[in-house]
Amino acid sequence: MAAGGGGVAQQAELRRIEGNACFKKARLGAAIDCYTEAIALCPDVAVYWMNRALCHFRRKEWAKVEEDSRRALALDDTLVKGHYLLGYALLDKEEFALAIKEFEKALNLLKSLSSTDKMAEDVWQVLAKAKYLDWEKHSTERVWRIQSLKEACESALQEHHFLSGTLVEDSDGSSNEYSEQIKLLSEVFSKATLADTPVDVPDYLCCQITFEIFRDPVITPSGVTYERAVLLEHLDKVGNFDPVTREPLKEHQLVPNLAIKEAVQTYLKEHSWAYKLNC
């Protein structure tokens, strides 16, 4: 029995290897067939489901991506790509809040692994997109409700003054109670929409190289704060010096700017439209 079980596992692994070869050649249909055979042989191996989900991802077959990534995560919830792909599938369904949770799980897993590969950047970009789309959806709904409420209040106020005989202007042409109340009402509702009105992000929250809002800010001995990945690229490709002050600079001298990072997180929480600047 043990030998037979080992033989089945070996066959499944061979199908996976063959599927990987097909995937690299962009033969997605053939790769899917290989992974499907591997799954039929060993359905409890998460990577087989994950690999097939990647094929469906390339084809933008979102329902199948969701199904396979969920099966993979049910077997191994630590799969970064599983949460990443599931998030994409949910994003396509416009289930933004659920997609955000999956992308955040993927990002947290990468952080726990101290990963610095490109995938962390990819996850951040799509997470920013999901958060912006979620804000946009709810912002549109909020603005519509506020506008409807404003119109209802104006109508009720107009009716009240009409019945009271105070709708017309004073004889000297000055504003009466009705016009003053309408003005005040307009100011109140304008303030209610301020959080959903995009403005320029404060300069101190943006990198001096990319002019984008910070994600992982670090401060140099010169006192200048940069986006970590951007500064490391500068040090690697341009030279070991501060881009602004030109002072000598090495990677080990960089210190996380936790105050700015916290300020950015607070700002984004209150102004989710700012995520569009980075996506």
Side-chain angles (χ1 to χ4, degrees):
M1 292 295 291
V8 169
Q10 187 176 22
Q11 290 177 43
E13 189 61 14
L14 288 173
R15 297 288 79 77
R16 181 191 68 82
I17 293 170
E18 185 180 347
N20 289 354
C22 292
F23 184 84
K24 289 178 180 178
K25 295 178 182 178
R27 296 173 55 206
L28 298 179
I32 288 172
D33 290 341
C34 291
Y35 297 137
T36 301
E37 290 179 25
I39 289 169
L41 291 166
C42 293
D44 293 335
V45 179
V47 71
Y48 300 159
W49 295 97
M50 191 72 275
N51 287 3
R52 194 170 72 173
L54 280 167
C55 294
H56 295 314
F57 176 78
R58 288 284 183 89
R59 288 181 161 188
K60 300 186 185 302
E61 297 171 339
W62 302 115
K64 293 179 179 179
V65 171
E66 180 178 1
E67 181 182 356
D68 280 1
S69 57
R70 285 191 186 280
R71 292 294 295 268
L73 290 170
L75 294 167
D76 183 357
D77 193 54
T78 66
L79 290 171
V80 174
K81 287 184 179 179
H83 292 292
Y84 177 71
L85 295 182
L86 179 55
Y88 252 110
L90 294 169
L91 195 61
D92 181 70
K93 294 169 65 176
E94 297 187 0
E95 295 181 3
F96 302 127
L98 294 177
I100 288 168
K101 288 182 179 179
E102 294 303 322
F103 293 135
E104 287 179 336
K105 286 178 183 178
L107 205 56
N108 288 333
L109 284 168
L110 285 169
K111 288 179 180 177
S112 68
L113 297 171
S114 299
S115 175
T116 57
D117 63 17
K118 184 180 180 296
M119 189 170 184
E121 177 66 19
D122 292 342
V123 174
W124 166 261
Q125 290 292 340
V126 73
L127 173 61
K129 178 181 179 180
K131 287 194 173 185
Y132 175 79
L133 291 173
D134 186 56
W135 165 81
E136 188 175 50
K137 176 184 176 181
H138 289 95
S139 172
T140 301
E141 294 171 353
R142 280 193 300 272
V143 169
W144 182 84
R145 288 198 302 268
I146 289 172
Q147 181 61 29
S148 297
L149 181 59
K150 179 174 180 288
E151 291 173 359
C153 289
E154 289 175 341
S155 178
L157 193 61
Q158 185 179 42
E159 182 179 0
H160 168 73
H161 282 280
F162 175 77
L163 294 175
S164 303
T166 56
L167 190 61
V168 296
E169 289 185 346
D170 293 337
S171 57
D172 61 359
S174 61
S175 298
N176 60 6
E177 183 183 8
Y178 168 69
S179 61
E180 288 294 333
Q181 289 178 339
I182 285 292
K183 181 180 178 181
L184 180 60
L185 192 67
S186 180
E187 291 175 356
V188 169
F189 281 99
S190 292
K191 289 180 180 178
T193 60
L194 281 179
D196 288 316
T197 304
V199 295
D200 290 336
V201 176
D203 290 342
Y204 73 93
L205 298 180
C206 298
C207 176
Q208 294 196 37
I209 298 177
T210 64
F211 302 107
E212 293 183 349
I213 196 164
F214 284 118
R215 299 198 298 273
D216 186 13
V218 291
I219 190 168
T220 69
S222 301
V224 184
T225 299
Y226 301 97
E227 180 63 35
R228 180 189 296 274
V230 175
L231 184 54
L232 290 179
E233 184 178 8
H234 165 84
L235 296 177
D236 179 54
K237 296 183 178 180
V238 181
N240 291 315
F241 59 90
D242 188 306
V244 172
T245 67
R246 317 297 285 186
E247 292 291 326
L249 180 64
K250 296 290 184 68
E251 182 178 346
H252 72 270
Q253 295 177 286
L254 306 181
V255 177
N257 194 329
L258 300 179
I260 290 294
K261 188 170 185 176
E262 184 176 351
V264 166
Q265 291 171 345
T266 300
Y267 189 85
L268 287 173
K269 186 176 181 180
E270 297 175 356
H271 308 89
S272 294
W273 48 262
Y275 277 108
K276 190 174 184 180
L277 299 177
N278 286 351
C279 65

